[in-house]
Amino acid sequence: MTVVDYCAGLDGTLSTNNKLLIENMLHGGDAPTWKMARDIVISPLPLMTLGMAVKRISRNVLTEAIPDPFTIYRALRFSMTRSTQFQEHPEPFDIES
């Protein structure tokens, strides 16, 4: 299983097209691929897109910059870790505040 197989969309799975876009980014994507891939939801809880994950693990990276494959990999791992932590210890939802 690859790191992409651990990603989940809002309905629990990633479409074949979304998996291919992310895999293309892992092999050195270009600007059009990044524009499509950055909005893919890779974790439903907590909600995180690929672009959000890249921003969280990268410092001083411009939004329009194309991340390198290692940064994409690190972002996917970060998302997996956050999702696991969230499932183990869900944040309380306080409706009275």
Side-chain angles (χ1 to χ4, degrees):
M1 252 180 139
T2 66
V3 69
V4 178
D5 294 324
Y6 290 101
C7 295
L10 293 175
D11 63 352
T13 59
L14 286 181
S15 70
T16 303
N17 288 340
N18 286 348
K19 283 183 180 182
L20 287 173
L21 283 170
I22 294 171
E23 287 174 5
N24 285 341
M25 290 304 300
L26 284 168
H27 296 290
D30 54 6
T33 304
W34 174 238
K35 282 190 171 195
M36 290 186 288
R38 68 181 175 198
D39 294 329
I40 296 172
V41 174
I42 57 174
S43 172
L45 288 174
L47 182 66
M48 191 171 307
T49 65
L50 182 57
M52 292 165 63
V54 167
K55 284 182 186 179
R56 291 293 303 266
I57 58 109
S58 300
R59 293 191 179 117
N60 301 323
V61 174
L62 300 173
T63 307
E64 298 301 317
I66 302 168
D68 61 277
F70 184 63
T71 301
I72 296 292
Y73 176 79
R74 287 179 34 229
L76 293 171
R77 292 288 306 204
F78 171 79
S79 173
M80 286 174 29
T81 302
R82 290 285 294 146
S83 180
T84 301
Q85 290 171 347
F86 187 85
Q87 290 172 10
E88 291 173 357
H89 305 287
E91 299 169 9
F93 183 75
D94 185 8
I95 59 173
E96 295 180 4
S97 36

